[in-house]
Structure formats: C-alpha cells, structure tokens
Amino acid sequence: MAAFWQQRGRRQENGGLGSVIDGLGSVFDVLLANARLVLGVSGAAVLAIATLAVKRLIDRATSPRDEGDPKAEQKSLEESWQDLALIKTTPKPPKKQRREDLSEPLLSPARPLVPGEARDPRGCSTPLGAPQVKSSPLRCLTLQEKLLSHSSQLAVPEIQASLVPQLARSICTQLQNFLRSKCPELPFGRFFLSGALLDGLEVLAADHIHLMLPVVLDAGLWSLISGEDTVVRNPQHWMIKRIDLGYFPRGCSPWDRFIVGRYLSSNVLNETLHKLLVASINWPAIGGLLGCAIHPVVASRELKLEVKHDQVELSITLFPVVEMEGKVLLAVPPEGLVENLWLESFYRAEVSRVKELDAGDSGARQLCLRILNGVCRSQPSLHKLGGSPVTHVILHLSDTASDWAEESLADRFQQVLEELVAYLEKGVLPSYFNPKINLFSGLLEEEIDEMGFVLYRAMSEPEVLL
C-alpha cells in the first residue's frame, strides 16, 4: 500500500504525465489494431516496430530508477540510442510514384560500369540487350536544306500562274487590234508576251509581265551602228540609221515619220505610243469586257499599264522591239540628251543558254537563278542586281564549275555570291555574250558599294539572305 502511494506521488510530481502516457498508449493500441487494414501487412509491421521503440522510450522516462546505481543512467541512455537507431534503420515503405516524377532526373551518384552493362545517354547503366529510348535532339539544317526549302516557297500561286498570262494575252490582242485599226500604215509584227513568269524563272508573285511590240523594218532601208561609234561610247546601245535617202527618199518607209537626224528615234516612237495609250484607247470598255480595270500610267517614261483584277494586280510594260542582224533592240534609251539609242537585250539568249546547259547535265542553274532573283527582289539594296547581271554571273561560272547537280546547289550558290562580290569590287561585270559590255555601267558608285557590302557580309553566312 505504501509502495502504491509512493508511485502515485511520483506520477503526480511529474505533472500528470501518467495520464498522458496512458492516453498515448490507448492511441497506439488503436493504430496498431487498424494499421493492417489501412497500411497493409508491410506498413503495419513498420508501424509496430516504431511504436514499440517509442513505448520503450516513454517507459524508461517514467519508470523509477535506483538512485544508488551509477550505471543506471548510462544504461538508460544507451538503450535509448539503440531504440532510436532501430527507428532510423526501419525500412520505409515504397512511395507511390507520381507521373511528374518520371521526368525528374535521378540524383544518385554514378557507379563504375559493370561488364555486361551499357550506359544510356543520361549516365545510367542498363543491361545489354535491354530496349533503349532514343532521344531526338534538335536538327540544324544545312545550307543545302535551307536553299531547297526556300526555293519551294518561291513558287507562284497556281491561280496567278494561270490567270496572269491569260489576262495579259487578252489585253495584248485588244491592243494589237486597236493599233491595226488606228494606225494601219505602221507594220507592227505580231505582239507577244515575255518575262520570267512565262519562262519559269519568276519568284514570289506574278505581278509584272512584258508586252513586246515588234517594229518591222526593211533591211534595205535601215542599218545598225554600234554605240561604240557614237558619243555615248556604250557597246550595249545601238542606233538605227536610215540609208539610201538619195534613191529611197523620206516616205518610202512607214517609219520615216519617227526619224530624227536620219536615225530612227526610240523616244519619238515611245511618245507617240504613249499618247495613243493615254488618250485614244477606251480602256474602261476593254477592262469591262475582260472583267478587270485597266489604267495607263501617265507619268511614267515607260509604256505601262496597271491592271486590277479581283484576284491579281498586274503591271504590263510595253516595249517596241527591232530585230535586225541577229540583234534584239528595245526602245529603252538612256536618260540624257541622246534620244535615238536602242538598248540591246540579251534576255532571250540568257534564258535559252541557261536551259540548254541544264538540259545537258541535269543541272540546277535555273533553281539557283530563281533563288538569287528572289533574294534580290526581297532585299531593297539588291534590286538592280537581279535578273540579267545574276544570270551572266551564273553563265560565266558555268564555264569553270562543271558540277551543277542539285546536290551541289549550296556550293554553287556560295560561289556565285563570291563571284558577285569580286565583280562589284572591280565595278565591272562583262556580258557573257559581249565582253565589251559592262553590265554595271548603269549603276552609281554608291549603289555598287552598298550591294558589295551586303553580299560581302553574307559570304560567311549566306543564310541571312534567305
């Protein structure tokens, strides 16, 4: 009885710790009773071990110890550390893996590779023969692939490619019928269309086309004089001289009305046609018949028509053209006081030669030319470089570079850029068909410098032009 009161007194001295412990014990009993249902067999075993260790700690803390035993306190501490070690070494139940954890890298330290294992790209070893997931890194396109991809974007929309030539031919027919009825004395040949769209070299949009007006001359009454023998000293320009006026006086040729100083004047012919286009032709009626609006450009030095259709907008430039002695001459005089000059055009020969070379070796010259024309069209500083100059560079390069297969497109493209820069540095690009002609003669020095600077920067990284 005395021992009972003594033990009760000690519990009261502990501030009611006994009641708290009794309560915790009942809670542990309930947890253990229901652990198997909630956590399963392995989870219940882990919880039972942990609960047992905690109970031992509590029992030691509340049980009386012999004050005369000096080893009791040391023994109690040792047992407490053993019980804590028991809790720490208790295996934890496997954590349920979440979906987002599958993408997190494992931070386990690397271990030496064991023979018979393979190392995956993340540094984890996997058994040989086990299926491996191949990663798909970002793929850098080569210049060759970029050029081919860019060329596919230069195709003219199908509706434009079919509608524009049809519309231009209808206007061509209407204009020829008008001139035959209005000026029957002028022997114009059959009008025809020309331009990169019809030759398969057009890019981006079919928004312009050329309408050629052949001027038929009697070879016995006219002769050609090279521009080298004139004051302009330019071999690309020619003069058409009226001859044998003593035997065939003025009026023998229907074109004598356009003579200035015994030379057929391209300026006078253009001015006459300009007046006819602006003042004499009923373009609203023709446009209504063709389902479009046609307006002649009044302020332009060239003979131009602006055509607006529901689906396309088109610019048509008219060129009186003379074909004599194997030359194709356009009524495009240079700016200045000289008004009797005709410009020699190599366009027909350029296209024919490029297609002939490609047909001979299945080359990609036309593809390279389309890409370069698209580059010059999209770069304002390179506008005057597109067309004829680029074509002549490709023709010059074809004499030295024999491999023009599509697989070598990137090499040829970069080589053309290098050739252009070299020609611009000299300020001279000789014509492929007449080396005396400098195709850069009509450019200003500032324009040549700007084009050379743009292309020089692009030599190390041609992709910037695409």
Side-chain angles (χ1 to χ4, degrees):
M1 192 69 175
F4 171 78
W5 286 110
Q6 185 178 3
Q7 184 177 2
R8 182 178 179 183
R10 289 179 180 176
R11 289 181 180 177
Q12 289 177 355
E13 290 176 358
N14 290 335
L17 182 61
S19 60
V20 174
I21 292 173
D22 294 339
L24 288 175
S26 61
V27 171
F28 291 149
D29 293 337
V30 173
L31 287 176
L32 290 174
N34 296 279
R36 185 169 183 178
L37 296 176
V38 178
L39 302 176
V41 176
S42 60
V46 172
L47 182 60
I49 295 172
T51 304
L52 178 60
V54 173
K55 276 189 173 183
R56 289 181 180 177
L57 289 174
I58 296 174
D59 290 341
R60 281 193 205 97
T62 56
S63 61
R65 61 177 182 270
D66 297 335
E67 297 179 357
D69 189 1
K71 296 184 180 180
E73 183 175 358
Q74 181 179 0
K75 182 179 179 181
S76 177
L77 290 174
E78 291 177 355
E79 292 177 350
S80 299
W81 285 113
Q82 291 175 1
D83 292 336
L84 288 176
L86 178 63
I87 296 176
K88 289 183 179 180
T89 56
T90 303
K92 297 181 180 180
K95 183 178 70 171
K96 185 178 181 181
Q97 196 171 28
R98 298 175 301 172
R99 180 176 299 178
E100 55 268 21
D101 294 337
L102 297 177
S103 61
E104 296 180 358
L106 298 177
L107 299 179
S108 57
R111 61 182 179 85
L113 186 64
V114 179
E117 292 182 344
R119 180 80 61 184
D120 67 2
R122 295 175 300 178
C124 302
S125 59
T126 56
L128 289 176
Q132 299 181 1
V133 179
K134 295 184 179 180
S135 59
S136 55
L138 293 177
R139 182 165 170 260
C140 297
L141 296 179
T142 63
L143 177 59
Q144 174 81 10
E145 293 169 331
K146 290 180 180 179
L147 288 172
L148 294 176
S149 175
H150 183 73
S151 66
S152 63
Q153 302 173 7
L154 299 177
V156 178
E158 184 177 353
I159 187 171
Q160 293 184 9
S162 60
L163 179 59
V164 167
Q166 179 182 354
L167 190 60
R169 289 190 181 96
S170 299
I171 295 175
C172 177
T173 301
Q174 293 294 327
L175 180 59
Q176 180 150 27
N177 292 338
F178 169 81
L179 289 178
R180 283 179 177 175
S181 61
K182 182 71 174 180
C183 309
E185 72 281 2
L186 297 179
F188 283 104
R190 183 177 181 82
F191 293 4
F192 62 93
L193 300 178
S194 178
L197 174 64
L198 301 177
D199 297 316
L201 301 178
E202 186 55 84
V203 293
L204 300 180
D207 57 358
H208 67 280
I209 201 167
H210 296 160
L211 176 54
M212 316 306 288
L213 285 62
V215 175
V216 181
L217 298 178
D218 187 348
L221 301 178
W222 304 90
S223 65
L224 298 182
I225 298 178
S226 173
E228 289 182 291
D229 302 329
T230 66
V231 294
V232 295
R233 301 295 179 185
N234 189 336
Q236 193 172 359
H237 287 87
W238 294 77
M239 300 184 75
I240 305 176
K241 185 179 181 180
R242 178 70 158 85
I243 60 175
D244 293 336
L245 286 175
Y247 295 97
F248 304 98
R250 284 178 180 260
C252 293
S253 172
W255 302 105
D256 286 345
R257 57 186 285 192
F258 303 105
I259 288 179
V260 175
R262 296 187 63 178
Y263 296 97
L264 183 61
S265 174
S266 54
N267 270 4
V268 175
L269 180 58
N270 279 336
E271 290 173 0
T272 303
L273 292 174
H274 188 273
K275 292 177 181 178
L276 292 175
L277 292 178
V278 173
S280 301
I281 303 179
N282 189 355
W283 291 115
I286 296 177
L289 180 64
L290 301 179
C292 61
I294 306 174
H295 303 284
V297 181
V298 179
S300 175
R301 292 181 68 251
E302 298 178 321
L303 304 175
K304 273 192 174 184
L305 299 175
E306 298 292 342
V307 182
K308 292 186 178 180
H309 191 271
D310 292 339
Q311 297 174 319
V312 294
E313 291 188 4
L314 175 65
S315 175
I316 301 178
T317 305
L318 283 67
F319 290 103
V321 54
V322 172
E323 295 189 36
M324 286 184 63
E325 302 177 10
K327 310 288 192 243
V328 179
L329 307 178
L330 304 180
V332 184
E335 296 183 4
L337 299 177
V338 183
E339 60 179 17
N340 298 331
L341 296 177
W342 294 69
L343 178 68
E344 184 175 6
S345 172
F346 299 102
Y347 177 77
R348 187 186 302 174
E350 293 166 4
V351 174
S352 176
R353 182 59 177 164
V354 169
K355 290 186 175 181
E356 179 185 353
L357 290 173
D358 274 352
D361 58 9
S362 301
R365 295 172 184 84
Q366 297 177 75
L367 177 58
C368 186
L369 181 58
R370 278 197 298 268
I371 296 174
L372 288 167
N373 281 338
V375 168
C376 294
R377 184 185 177 106
S378 61
Q379 298 280 342
S381 59
L382 301 179
H383 278 178
K384 293 186 178 181
L385 197 60
S388 186
V390 172
T391 306
H392 283 253
V393 172
I394 291 178
L395 291 176
H396 282 305
L397 189 58
S398 297
D399 291 340
T400 57
S402 58
D403 185 10
W404 281 90
E406 187 173 299
E407 294 76 12
S408 303
L409 176 61
D411 295 334
R412 299 289 81 80
F413 180 84
Q414 195 155 9
Q415 197 170 0
V416 171
L417 295 183
E418 295 172 358
E419 293 291 319
L420 279 171
V421 171
Y423 287 126
L424 288 168
E425 286 178 348
K426 299 176 182 177
V428 177
L429 173 58
S431 169
Y432 181 78
F433 303 100
N434 186 355
K436 296 181 180 180
I437 297 176
N438 177 18
L439 298 180
F440 289 162
S441 60
L443 299 177
L444 300 176
E445 186 176 353
E446 294 79 7
E447 294 174 334
I448 292 179
D449 291 341
E450 184 177 5
M451 290 188 292
F453 177 71
V454 172
L455 295 177
Y456 180 78
R457 290 192 306 171
M459 285 175 56
S460 59
E461 191 177 359
E463 294 85 352
V464 299
L465 297 175
L466 304 179

